[in-house]
PDB file of all heavy atoms in Angstrom:
ATOM      1  N   ALA A1031     -21.662  -8.398 -14.438  1.00 92.00           N
ATOM      2  CA  ALA A1031     -22.998  -8.099 -15.085  1.00 92.00           C
ATOM      3  C   ALA A1031     -23.116  -8.969 -16.182  1.00 92.00           C
ATOM      4  O   ALA A1031     -22.138  -9.553 -16.793  1.00 92.00           O
ATOM      5  CB  ALA A1031     -23.087  -6.639 -15.473  1.00 92.00           C
ATOM      6  N   GLU A1032     -24.452  -9.237 -16.642  1.00 90.00           N
ATOM      7  CA  GLU A1032     -24.758 -10.013 -17.798  1.00 90.00           C
ATOM      8  C   GLU A1032     -25.730  -9.218 -18.625  1.00 90.00           C
ATOM      9  O   GLU A1032     -26.505  -8.351 -18.099  1.00 90.00           O
ATOM     10  CB  GLU A1032     -25.248 -11.387 -17.459  1.00 90.00           C
ATOM     11  CG  GLU A1032     -26.602 -11.346 -16.619  1.00 90.00           C
ATOM     12  CD  GLU A1032     -27.180 -12.705 -16.354  1.00 90.00           C
ATOM     13  OE1 GLU A1032     -26.400 -13.705 -16.380  1.00 90.00           O
ATOM     14  OE2 GLU A1032     -28.403 -12.873 -16.066  1.00 90.00           O
ATOM     15  N   ALA A1033     -25.653  -9.515 -19.900  1.00 89.00           N
ATOM     16  CA  ALA A1033     -26.500  -8.785 -20.854  1.00 89.00           C
ATOM     17  C   ALA A1033     -26.875  -9.661 -21.970  1.00 89.00           C
ATOM     18  O   ALA A1033     -26.318 -10.798 -22.125  1.00 89.00           O
ATOM     19  CB  ALA A1033     -25.897  -7.460 -21.434  1.00 89.00           C
ATOM     20  N   ALA A1034     -27.884  -9.227 -22.765  1.00 85.00           N
ATOM     21  CA  ALA A1034     -28.412 -10.081 -23.916  1.00 85.00           C
ATOM     22  C   ALA A1034     -27.461 -10.037 -25.130  1.00 85.00           C
ATOM     23  O   ALA A1034     -27.542 -10.841 -26.006  1.00 85.00           O
ATOM     24  CB  ALA A1034     -29.732  -9.706 -24.262  1.00 85.00           C
ATOM     25  N   SER A1035     -26.468  -9.020 -25.042  1.00 85.00           N
ATOM     26  CA  SER A1035     -25.619  -8.983 -26.235  1.00 85.00           C
ATOM     27  C   SER A1035     -24.259  -8.302 -25.831  1.00 85.00           C
ATOM     28  O   SER A1035     -24.158  -7.706 -24.722  1.00 85.00           O
ATOM     29  CB  SER A1035     -26.266  -8.031 -27.234  1.00 85.00           C
ATOM     30  OG  SER A1035     -26.213  -6.667 -26.873  1.00 85.00           O
ATOM     31  N   PRO A1036     -23.286  -8.411 -26.548  1.00 85.00           N
ATOM     32  CA  PRO A1036     -21.970  -7.899 -26.228  1.00 85.00           C
ATOM     33  C   PRO A1036     -22.015  -6.329 -26.127  1.00 85.00           C
ATOM     34  O   PRO A1036     -21.089  -5.754 -25.502  1.00 85.00           O
ATOM     35  CB  PRO A1036     -20.993  -8.243 -27.385  1.00 85.00           C
ATOM     36  CG  PRO A1036     -21.575  -9.497 -27.939  1.00 85.00           C
ATOM     37  CD  PRO A1036     -23.081  -9.274 -27.922  1.00 85.00           C
ATOM     38  N   GLN A1037     -23.012  -5.643 -26.558  1.00 83.00           N
ATOM     39  CA  GLN A1037     -23.136  -4.222 -26.515  1.00 83.00           C
ATOM     40  C   GLN A1037     -23.779  -3.708 -25.095  1.00 83.00           C
ATOM     41  O   GLN A1037     -23.890  -2.652 -24.820  1.00 83.00           O
ATOM     42  CB  GLN A1037     -23.972  -3.642 -27.638  1.00 83.00           C
ATOM     43  CG  GLN A1037     -23.208  -3.713 -29.012  1.00 83.00           C
ATOM     44  CD  GLN A1037     -23.126  -5.072 -29.539  1.00 83.00           C
ATOM     45  OE1 GLN A1037     -24.102  -5.904 -29.450  1.00 83.00           O
ATOM     46  NE2 GLN A1037     -21.984  -5.361 -30.142  1.00 83.00           N
ATOM     47  N   GLY A1038     -24.172  -4.784 -24.321  1.00 79.00           N
ATOM     48  CA  GLY A1038     -24.716  -4.441 -23.043  1.00 79.00           C
ATOM     49  C   GLY A1038     -26.268  -4.276 -23.046  1.00 79.00           C
ATOM     50  O   GLY A1038     -26.883  -3.689 -22.101  1.00 79.00           O
ATOM     51  N   ALA A1039     -26.972  -4.765 -24.092  1.00 81.00           N
ATOM     52  CA  ALA A1039     -28.381  -4.663 -24.155  1.00 81.00           C
ATOM     53  C   ALA A1039     -29.065  -5.475 -23.067  1.00 81.00           C
ATOM     54  O   ALA A1039     -28.654  -6.599 -22.727  1.00 81.00           O
ATOM     55  CB  ALA A1039     -28.988  -5.100 -25.495  1.00 81.00           C
ATOM     56  N   ASP A1040     -30.088  -4.828 -22.372  1.00 83.00           N
ATOM     57  CA  ASP A1040     -30.890  -5.476 -21.259  1.00 83.00           C
ATOM     58  C   ASP A1040     -29.973  -5.997 -20.169  1.00 83.00           C
ATOM     59  O   ASP A1040     -30.052  -7.122 -19.693  1.00 83.00           O
ATOM     60  CB  ASP A1040     -31.728  -6.651 -21.836  1.00 83.00           C
ATOM     61  CG  ASP A1040     -32.695  -6.146 -22.932  1.00 83.00           C
ATOM     62  OD1 ASP A1040     -33.334  -5.090 -22.677  1.00 83.00           O
ATOM     63  OD2 ASP A1040     -32.942  -6.877 -23.870  1.00 83.00           O
ATOM     64  N   ALA A1041     -28.925  -5.162 -19.867  1.00 87.00           N
ATOM     65  CA  ALA A1041     -27.873  -5.607 -18.855  1.00 87.00           C
ATOM     66  C   ALA A1041     -28.554  -5.760 -17.449  1.00 87.00           C
ATOM     67  O   ALA A1041     -29.461  -4.985 -17.159  1.00 87.00           O
ATOM     68  CB  ALA A1041     -26.715  -4.655 -18.929  1.00 87.00           C
ATOM     69  N   ARG A1042     -27.927  -6.623 -16.665  1.00 89.00           N
ATOM     70  CA  ARG A1042     -28.289  -6.831 -15.353  1.00 89.00           C
ATOM     71  C   ARG A1042     -27.034  -7.053 -14.436  1.00 89.00           C
ATOM     72  O   ARG A1042     -26.281  -7.914 -14.797  1.00 89.00           O
ATOM     73  CB  ARG A1042     -29.160  -8.045 -15.270  1.00 89.00           C
ATOM     74  CG  ARG A1042     -29.655  -8.473 -13.881  1.00 89.00           C
ATOM     75  CD  ARG A1042     -30.320  -9.870 -13.897  1.00 89.00           C
ATOM     76  NE  ARG A1042     -30.612 -10.341 -12.568  1.00 89.00           N
ATOM     77  CZ  ARG A1042     -30.645 -11.546 -12.186  1.00 89.00           C
ATOM     78  NH1 ARG A1042     -30.497 -12.460 -13.232  1.00 89.00           N
ATOM     79  NH2 ARG A1042     -30.955 -11.998 -11.050  1.00 89.00           N
ATOM     80  N   VAL A1043     -26.921  -6.188 -13.434  1.00 91.00           N
ATOM     81  CA  VAL A1043     -25.807  -6.370 -12.530  1.00 91.00           C
ATOM     82  C   VAL A1043     -26.088  -7.480 -11.538  1.00 91.00           C
ATOM     83  O   VAL A1043     -27.127  -7.465 -10.875  1.00 91.00           O
ATOM     84  CB  VAL A1043     -25.457  -5.091 -11.803  1.00 91.00           C
ATOM     85  CG1 VAL A1043     -24.268  -5.205 -10.797  1.00 91.00           C
ATOM     86  CG2 VAL A1043     -25.105  -3.978 -12.873  1.00 91.00           C
ATOM     87  N   LEU A1044     -25.193  -8.422 -11.393  1.00 93.00           N
ATOM     88  CA  LEU A1044     -25.333  -9.550 -10.585  1.00 93.00           C
ATOM     89  C   LEU A1044     -24.690  -9.377  -9.227  1.00 93.00           C
ATOM     90  O   LEU A1044     -25.250  -9.962  -8.243  1.00 93.00           O
ATOM     91  CB  LEU A1044     -24.820 -10.836 -11.158  1.00 93.00           C
ATOM     92  CG  LEU A1044     -25.402 -11.198 -12.502  1.00 93.00           C
ATOM     93  CD1 LEU A1044     -24.769 -12.423 -13.101  1.00 93.00           C
ATOM     94  CD2 LEU A1044     -26.918 -11.447 -12.367  1.00 93.00           C
ATOM     95  N   GLY A1045     -23.638  -8.625  -9.165  1.00 93.00           N
ATOM     96  CA  GLY A1045     -22.939  -8.424  -7.781  1.00 93.00           C
ATOM     97  C   GLY A1045     -21.550  -7.969  -7.959  1.00 93.00           C
ATOM     98  O   GLY A1045     -21.045  -7.479  -9.013  1.00 93.00           O
ATOM     99  N   VAL A1046     -20.804  -8.020  -6.867  1.00 94.00           N
ATOM    100  CA  VAL A1046     -19.469  -7.512  -6.710  1.00 94.00           C
ATOM    101  C   VAL A1046     -18.539  -8.538  -6.136  1.00 94.00           C
ATOM    102  O   VAL A1046     -18.937  -9.247  -5.200  1.00 94.00           O
ATOM    103  CB  VAL A1046     -19.455  -6.205  -5.975  1.00 94.00           C
ATOM    104  CG1 VAL A1046     -18.060  -5.651  -5.878  1.00 94.00           C
ATOM    105  CG2 VAL A1046     -20.455  -5.237  -6.256  1.00 94.00           C
ATOM    106  N   ILE A1047     -17.355  -8.591  -6.725  1.00 93.00           N
ATOM    107  CA  ILE A1047     -16.292  -9.497  -6.216  1.00 93.00           C
ATOM    108  C   ILE A1047     -15.289  -8.587  -5.354  1.00 93.00           C
ATOM    109  O   ILE A1047     -14.864  -7.612  -5.850  1.00 93.00           O
ATOM    110  CB  ILE A1047     -15.503 -10.206  -7.399  1.00 93.00           C
ATOM    111  CG1 ILE A1047     -16.537 -10.924  -8.290  1.00 93.00           C
ATOM    112  CG2 ILE A1047     -14.445 -11.050  -6.768  1.00 93.00           C
ATOM    113  CD1 ILE A1047     -15.835 -11.384  -9.560  1.00 93.00           C
ATOM    114  N   ARG A1048     -15.146  -9.053  -4.211  1.00 90.00           N
ATOM    115  CA  ARG A1048     -13.999  -8.350  -3.331  1.00 90.00           C
ATOM    116  C   ARG A1048     -12.672  -8.882  -3.595  1.00 90.00           C
ATOM    117  O   ARG A1048     -12.607 -10.150  -3.305  1.00 90.00           O
ATOM    118  CB  ARG A1048     -14.458  -8.391  -1.908  1.00 90.00           C
ATOM    119  CG  ARG A1048     -13.579  -7.584  -0.947  1.00 90.00           C
ATOM    120  CD  ARG A1048     -13.645  -8.028   0.509  1.00 90.00           C
ATOM    121  NE  ARG A1048     -14.988  -7.697   0.981  1.00 90.00           N
ATOM    122  CZ  ARG A1048     -15.398  -6.663   1.561  1.00 90.00           C
ATOM    123  NH1 ARG A1048     -14.566  -5.616   1.713  1.00 90.00           N
ATOM    124  NH2 ARG A1048     -16.681  -6.524   1.955  1.00 90.00           N
ATOM    125  N   LEU A1049     -11.712  -8.157  -3.978  1.00 87.00           N
ATOM    126  CA  LEU A1049     -10.314  -8.439  -4.108  1.00 87.00           C
ATOM    127  C   LEU A1049      -9.584  -7.856  -3.040  1.00 87.00           C
ATOM    128  O   LEU A1049      -9.746  -6.613  -2.843  1.00 87.00           O
ATOM    129  CB  LEU A1049      -9.700  -8.154  -5.457  1.00 87.00           C
ATOM    130  CG  LEU A1049     -10.323  -8.746  -6.752  1.00 87.00           C
ATOM    131  CD1 LEU A1049      -9.542  -8.214  -7.939  1.00 87.00           C
ATOM    132  CD2 LEU A1049     -10.266 -10.195  -6.682  1.00 87.00           C
ATOM    133  N   SER A1050      -8.881  -8.594  -2.236  1.00 80.00           N
ATOM    134  CA  SER A1050      -8.082  -8.064  -1.121  1.00 80.00           C
ATOM    135  C   SER A1050      -6.534  -7.906  -1.402  1.00 80.00           C
ATOM    136  O   SER A1050      -6.014  -8.852  -1.962  1.00 80.00           O
ATOM    137  CB  SER A1050      -8.287  -8.904   0.185  1.00 80.00           C
ATOM    138  OG  SER A1050      -9.591  -8.925   0.503  1.00 80.00           O
ATOM    139  N   ASP A1051      -5.972  -6.884  -1.048  1.00 76.00           N
ATOM    140  CA  ASP A1051      -4.633  -6.629  -1.255  1.00 76.00           C
ATOM    141  C   ASP A1051      -3.979  -6.115   0.034  1.00 76.00           C
ATOM    142  O   ASP A1051      -4.734  -5.695   0.951  1.00 76.00           O
ATOM    143  CB  ASP A1051      -4.374  -5.595  -2.343  1.00 76.00           C
ATOM    144  CG  ASP A1051      -2.923  -5.707  -2.940  1.00 76.00           C
ATOM    145  OD1 ASP A1051      -2.199  -6.461  -2.458  1.00 76.00           O
ATOM    146  OD2 ASP A1051      -2.736  -5.101  -4.029  1.00 76.00           O
ATOM    147  N   VAL A1052      -2.661  -6.233   0.251  1.00 73.00           N
ATOM    148  CA  VAL A1052      -2.034  -5.954   1.548  1.00 73.00           C
ATOM    149  C   VAL A1052      -0.840  -4.940   1.228  1.00 73.00           C
ATOM    150  O   VAL A1052      -0.058  -5.293   0.439  1.00 73.00           O
ATOM    151  CB  VAL A1052      -1.559  -7.186   2.224  1.00 73.00           C
ATOM    152  CG1 VAL A1052      -0.900  -6.841   3.534  1.00 73.00           C
ATOM    153  CG2 VAL A1052      -2.708  -8.075   2.522  1.00 73.00           C
ATOM    154  N   VAL A1053      -0.795  -3.887   1.926  1.00 80.00           N
ATOM    155  CA  VAL A1053       0.347  -2.877   1.915  1.00 80.00           C
ATOM    156  C   VAL A1053       1.455  -3.588   2.566  1.00 80.00           C
ATOM    157  O   VAL A1053       1.390  -4.130   3.659  1.00 80.00           O
ATOM    158  CB  VAL A1053       0.021  -1.588   2.586  1.00 80.00           C
ATOM    159  CG1 VAL A1053       1.224  -0.648   2.647  1.00 80.00           C
ATOM    160  CG2 VAL A1053      -1.114  -0.862   1.815  1.00 80.00           C
ATOM    161  N   LYS A1054       2.686  -3.562   1.993  1.00 80.00           N
ATOM    162  CA  LYS A1054       3.921  -4.113   2.666  1.00 80.00           C
ATOM    163  C   LYS A1054       4.258  -3.403   3.903  1.00 80.00           C
ATOM    164  O   LYS A1054       4.092  -2.201   3.984  1.00 80.00           O
ATOM    165  CB  LYS A1054       4.963  -3.955   1.588  1.00 80.00           C
ATOM    166  CG  LYS A1054       4.794  -4.742   0.303  1.00 80.00           C
ATOM    167  CD  LYS A1054       6.024  -4.713  -0.557  1.00 80.00           C
ATOM    168  CE  LYS A1054       5.814  -5.532  -1.799  1.00 80.00           C
ATOM    169  NZ  LYS A1054       6.912  -5.331  -2.815  1.00 80.00           N
ATOM    170  N   PRO A1055       4.735  -4.189   4.816  1.00 79.00           N
ATOM    171  CA  PRO A1055       5.146  -3.588   6.110  1.00 79.00           C
ATOM    172  C   PRO A1055       6.300  -2.515   5.934  1.00 79.00           C
ATOM    173  O   PRO A1055       7.149  -2.773   5.083  1.00 79.00           O
ATOM    174  CB  PRO A1055       5.537  -4.691   6.919  1.00 79.00           C
ATOM    175  CG  PRO A1055       4.849  -5.901   6.279  1.00 79.00           C
ATOM    176  CD  PRO A1055       4.783  -5.669   4.921  1.00 79.00           C
ATOM    177  N   GLY A1056       6.284  -1.502   6.749  1.00 81.00           N
ATOM    178  CA  GLY A1056       7.407  -0.512   6.722  1.00 81.00           C
ATOM    179  C   GLY A1056       7.338   0.424   5.625  1.00 81.00           C
ATOM    180  O   GLY A1056       8.162   1.304   5.495  1.00 81.00           O
ATOM    181  N   MET A1057       6.210   0.453   4.787  1.00 83.00           N
ATOM    182  CA  MET A1057       6.211   1.367   3.586  1.00 83.00           C
ATOM    183  C   MET A1057       6.084   2.826   4.110  1.00 83.00           C
ATOM    184  O   MET A1057       6.670   3.767   3.573  1.00 83.00           O
ATOM    185  CB  MET A1057       4.991   1.104   2.781  1.00 83.00           C
ATOM    186  CG  MET A1057       5.164  -0.280   1.985  1.00 83.00           C
ATOM    187  SD  MET A1057       6.605  -0.358   0.953  1.00 83.00           S
ATOM    188  CE  MET A1057       6.285   0.954  -0.232  1.00 83.00           C
ATOM    189  N   ARG A1058       5.277   3.069   5.155  1.00 86.00           N
ATOM    190  CA  ARG A1058       5.085   4.440   5.663  1.00 86.00           C
ATOM    191  C   ARG A1058       6.459   5.131   6.025  1.00 86.00           C
ATOM    192  O   ARG A1058       6.711   6.249   5.820  1.00 86.00           O
ATOM    193  CB  ARG A1058       4.088   4.492   6.777  1.00 86.00           C
ATOM    194  CG  ARG A1058       3.842   5.814   7.458  1.00 86.00           C
ATOM    195  CD  ARG A1058       2.744   5.848   8.406  1.00 86.00           C
ATOM    196  NE  ARG A1058       1.395   5.696   7.808  1.00 86.00           N
ATOM    197  CZ  ARG A1058       0.702   6.679   7.232  1.00 86.00           C
ATOM    198  NH1 ARG A1058       1.241   7.921   7.366  1.00 86.00           N
ATOM    199  NH2 ARG A1058      -0.394   6.468   6.692  1.00 86.00           N
ATOM    200  N   GLU A1059       7.236   4.310   6.760  1.00 85.00           N
ATOM    201  CA  GLU A1059       8.558   4.657   7.273  1.00 85.00           C
ATOM    202  C   GLU A1059       9.455   4.991   5.987  1.00 85.00           C
ATOM    203  O   GLU A1059      10.210   6.000   6.029  1.00 85.00           O
ATOM    204  CB  GLU A1059       9.239   3.685   8.152  1.00 85.00           C
ATOM    205  CG  GLU A1059       8.449   3.545   9.540  1.00 85.00           C
ATOM    206  CD  GLU A1059       7.193   2.767   9.423  1.00 85.00           C
ATOM    207  OE1 GLU A1059       6.911   2.058   8.381  1.00 85.00           O
ATOM    208  OE2 GLU A1059       6.392   2.783  10.337  1.00 85.00           O
ATOM    209  N   ARG A1060       9.329   4.136   4.992  1.00 80.00           N
ATOM    210  CA  ARG A1060      10.232   4.293   3.862  1.00 80.00           C
ATOM    211  C   ARG A1060       9.866   5.683   3.149  1.00 80.00           C
ATOM    212  O   ARG A1060      10.693   6.409   2.706  1.00 80.00           O
ATOM    213  CB  ARG A1060      10.044   3.187   2.847  1.00 80.00           C
ATOM    214  CG  ARG A1060      10.447   1.861   3.457  1.00 80.00           C
ATOM    215  CD  ARG A1060      12.016   1.613   3.551  1.00 80.00           C
ATOM    216  NE  ARG A1060      12.342   0.310   4.084  1.00 80.00           N
ATOM    217  CZ  ARG A1060      12.466  -0.695   3.356  1.00 80.00           C
ATOM    218  NH1 ARG A1060      12.270  -0.571   1.980  1.00 80.00           N
ATOM    219  NH2 ARG A1060      12.778  -1.873   3.875  1.00 80.00           N
ATOM    220  N   PHE A1061       8.504   5.913   3.029  1.00 85.00           N
ATOM    221  CA  PHE A1061       8.183   7.187   2.331  1.00 85.00           C
ATOM    222  C   PHE A1061       8.500   8.356   3.128  1.00 85.00           C
ATOM    223  O   PHE A1061       8.705   9.440   2.609  1.00 85.00           O
ATOM    224  CB  PHE A1061       6.610   7.062   2.007  1.00 85.00           C
ATOM    225  CG  PHE A1061       6.387   6.065   0.957  1.00 85.00           C
ATOM    226  CD1 PHE A1061       5.274   5.248   1.168  1.00 85.00           C
ATOM    227  CD2 PHE A1061       7.066   5.986  -0.244  1.00 85.00           C
ATOM    228  CE1 PHE A1061       4.972   4.214   0.072  1.00 85.00           C
ATOM    229  CE2 PHE A1061       6.823   4.981  -1.091  1.00 85.00           C
ATOM    230  CZ  PHE A1061       5.743   4.183  -0.997  1.00 85.00           C
ATOM    231  N   ALA A1062       8.473   8.197   4.452  1.00 84.00           N
ATOM    232  CA  ALA A1062       8.932   9.362   5.320  1.00 84.00           C
ATOM    233  C   ALA A1062      10.386   9.713   5.120  1.00 84.00           C
ATOM    234  O   ALA A1062      10.745  10.835   5.089  1.00 84.00           O
ATOM    235  CB  ALA A1062       8.701   9.017   6.779  1.00 84.00           C
ATOM    236  N   GLU A1063      11.142   8.640   4.804  1.00 78.00           N
ATOM    237  CA  GLU A1063      12.572   8.879   4.541  1.00 78.00           C
ATOM    238  C   GLU A1063      12.741   9.617   3.169  1.00 78.00           C
ATOM    239  O   GLU A1063      13.544  10.601   3.051  1.00 78.00           O
ATOM    240  CB  GLU A1063      13.300   7.517   4.465  1.00 78.00           C
ATOM    241  CG  GLU A1063      13.510   6.796   5.768  1.00 78.00           C
ATOM    242  CD  GLU A1063      14.250   5.531   5.549  1.00 78.00           C
ATOM    243  OE1 GLU A1063      15.192   5.468   4.795  1.00 78.00           O
ATOM    244  OE2 GLU A1063      13.914   4.430   6.153  1.00 78.00           O
ATOM    245  N   LEU A1064      11.871   9.179   2.269  1.00 80.00           N
ATOM    246  CA  LEU A1064      12.010   9.979   0.950  1.00 80.00           C
ATOM    247  C   LEU A1064      11.584  11.366   1.053  1.00 80.00           C
ATOM    248  O   LEU A1064      12.187  12.228   0.495  1.00 80.00           O
ATOM    249  CB  LEU A1064      11.063   9.186  -0.048  1.00 80.00           C
ATOM    250  CG  LEU A1064      11.659   7.815  -0.592  1.00 80.00           C
ATOM    251  CD1 LEU A1064      10.490   7.135  -1.399  1.00 80.00           C
ATOM    252  CD2 LEU A1064      12.875   7.954  -1.503  1.00 80.00           C
ATOM    253  N   ARG A1065      10.592  11.693   1.869  1.00 84.00           N
ATOM    254  CA  ARG A1065      10.070  12.971   2.141  1.00 84.00           C
ATOM    255  C   ARG A1065      11.167  13.804   2.743  1.00 84.00           C
ATOM    256  O   ARG A1065      11.412  14.985   2.347  1.00 84.00           O
ATOM    257  CB  ARG A1065       8.898  12.955   2.923  1.00 84.00           C
ATOM    258  CG  ARG A1065       8.081  14.227   2.844  1.00 84.00           C
ATOM    259  CD  ARG A1065       6.675  14.058   3.650  1.00 84.00           C
ATOM    260  NE  ARG A1065       5.852  13.000   2.982  1.00 84.00           N
ATOM    261  CZ  ARG A1065       5.618  11.846   3.465  1.00 84.00           C
ATOM    262  NH1 ARG A1065       6.088  11.414   4.661  1.00 84.00           N
ATOM    263  NH2 ARG A1065       4.896  10.934   2.815  1.00 84.00           N
ATOM    264  N   ALA A1066      11.928  13.294   3.598  1.00 79.00           N
ATOM    265  CA  ALA A1066      13.034  13.881   4.265  1.00 79.00           C
ATOM    266  C   ALA A1066      14.072  14.259   3.260  1.00 79.00           C
ATOM    267  O   ALA A1066      14.899  15.257   3.442  1.00 79.00           O
ATOM    268  CB  ALA A1066      13.564  13.126   5.437  1.00 79.00           C
ATOM    269  N   MET A1067      14.312  13.509   2.239  1.00 76.00           N
ATOM    270  CA  MET A1067      15.223  13.749   1.212  1.00 76.00           C
ATOM    271  C   MET A1067      14.656  14.661   0.131  1.00 76.00           C
ATOM    272  O   MET A1067      15.423  14.964  -0.882  1.00 76.00           O
ATOM    273  CB  MET A1067      15.627  12.385   0.544  1.00 76.00           C
ATOM    274  CG  MET A1067      16.361  11.431   1.446  1.00 76.00           C
ATOM    275  SD  MET A1067      16.247   9.701   0.974  1.00 76.00           S
ATOM    276  CE  MET A1067      17.043   9.748  -0.526  1.00 76.00           C
ATOM    277  N   GLY A1068      13.469  15.204   0.276  1.00 81.00           N
ATOM    278  CA  GLY A1068      12.932  16.244  -0.709  1.00 81.00           C
ATOM    279  C   GLY A1068      12.375  15.608  -1.874  1.00 81.00           C
ATOM    280  O   GLY A1068      12.215  16.214  -2.893  1.00 81.00           O
ATOM    281  N   ILE A1069      11.963  14.330  -1.711  1.00 85.00           N
ATOM    282  CA  ILE A1069      11.393  13.668  -2.917  1.00 85.00           C
ATOM    283  C   ILE A1069       9.905  13.498  -2.681  1.00 85.00           C
ATOM    284  O   ILE A1069       9.476  12.939  -1.683  1.00 85.00           O
ATOM    285  CB  ILE A1069      12.115  12.326  -3.053  1.00 85.00           C
ATOM    286  CG1 ILE A1069      13.610  12.473  -3.413  1.00 85.00           C
ATOM    287  CG2 ILE A1069      11.396  11.477  -4.207  1.00 85.00           C
ATOM    288  CD1 ILE A1069      14.379  11.229  -3.389  1.00 85.00           C
ATOM    289  N   ARG A1070       9.136  13.843  -3.681  1.00 89.00           N
ATOM    290  CA  ARG A1070       7.684  13.652  -3.638  1.00 89.00           C
ATOM    291  C   ARG A1070       7.287  12.370  -4.187  1.00 89.00           C
ATOM    292  O   ARG A1070       7.784  11.906  -5.288  1.00 89.00           O
ATOM    293  CB  ARG A1070       7.004  14.792  -4.451  1.00 89.00           C
ATOM    294  CG  ARG A1070       5.480  14.791  -4.265  1.00 89.00           C
ATOM    295  CD  ARG A1070       4.898  16.088  -4.908  1.00 89.00           C
ATOM    296  NE  ARG A1070       4.824  15.949  -6.409  1.00 89.00           N
ATOM    297  CZ  ARG A1070       3.845  15.584  -7.118  1.00 89.00           C
ATOM    298  NH1 ARG A1070       2.670  15.235  -6.408  1.00 89.00           N
ATOM    299  NH2 ARG A1070       3.843  15.518  -8.374  1.00 89.00           N
ATOM    300  N   THR A1071       6.514  11.582  -3.520  1.00 90.00           N
ATOM    301  CA  THR A1071       6.100  10.230  -3.908  1.00 90.00           C
ATOM    302  C   THR A1071       4.558  10.206  -4.443  1.00 90.00           C
ATOM    303  O   THR A1071       3.670  10.851  -3.769  1.00 90.00           O
ATOM    304  CB  THR A1071       6.200   9.268  -2.765  1.00 90.00           C
ATOM    305  OG1 THR A1071       5.377   9.778  -1.641  1.00 90.00           O
ATOM    306  CG2 THR A1071       7.694   9.055  -2.367  1.00 90.00           C
ATOM    307  N   VAL A1072       4.343   9.585  -5.521  1.00 91.00           N
ATOM    308  CA  VAL A1072       3.077   9.473  -6.179  1.00 91.00           C
ATOM    309  C   VAL A1072       2.826   8.044  -6.487  1.00 91.00           C
ATOM    310  O   VAL A1072       3.518   7.405  -7.193  1.00 91.00           O
ATOM    311  CB  VAL A1072       3.035  10.362  -7.471  1.00 91.00           C
ATOM    312  CG1 VAL A1072       1.615  10.220  -8.086  1.00 91.00           C
ATOM    313  CG2 VAL A1072       3.372  11.807  -7.179  1.00 91.00           C
ATOM    314  N   MET A1073       1.719   7.490  -5.923  1.00 89.00           N
ATOM    315  CA  MET A1073       1.257   6.186  -6.245  1.00 89.00           C
ATOM    316  C   MET A1073       0.250   6.140  -7.467  1.00 89.00           C
ATOM    317  O   MET A1073      -0.664   7.007  -7.597  1.00 89.00           O
ATOM    318  CB  MET A1073       0.443   5.562  -5.048  1.00 89.00           C
ATOM    319  CG  MET A1073       0.075   4.186  -5.241  1.00 89.00           C
ATOM    320  SD  MET A1073      -0.968   3.517  -3.890  1.00 89.00           S
ATOM    321  CE  MET A1073      -2.553   4.287  -4.322  1.00 89.00           C
TER     322      MET A1073
END
């Protein structure tokens, strides 16, 4: 977004940037192992 001042006066949203990330392979299986060990996982 852009505005007339640092406080956001007369602000105008211009758009959105898409950032893409990738989950590492095998993570679901690893967390299933932790669950079997009685460990709760929190992201």
Side-chain angles (χ1 to χ4, degrees):
E1032 64 179 16
S1035 70
Q1037 289 73 38
D1040 300 323
R1042 174 191 175 206
V1043 177
L1044 300 176
V1046 184
I1047 304 169
R1048 184 195 298 269
L1049 298 179
S1050 298
D1051 204 349
V1052 180
V1053 174
K1054 293 180 179 180
M1057 293 301 298
R1058 177 174 289 275
E1059 291 75 16
R1060 300 284 181 89
F1061 291 135
E1063 290 180 40
L1064 288 169
R1065 198 172 297 111
M1067 295 158 62
I1069 298 171
R1070 189 171 75 97
T1071 54
V1072 181
M1073 182 187 78

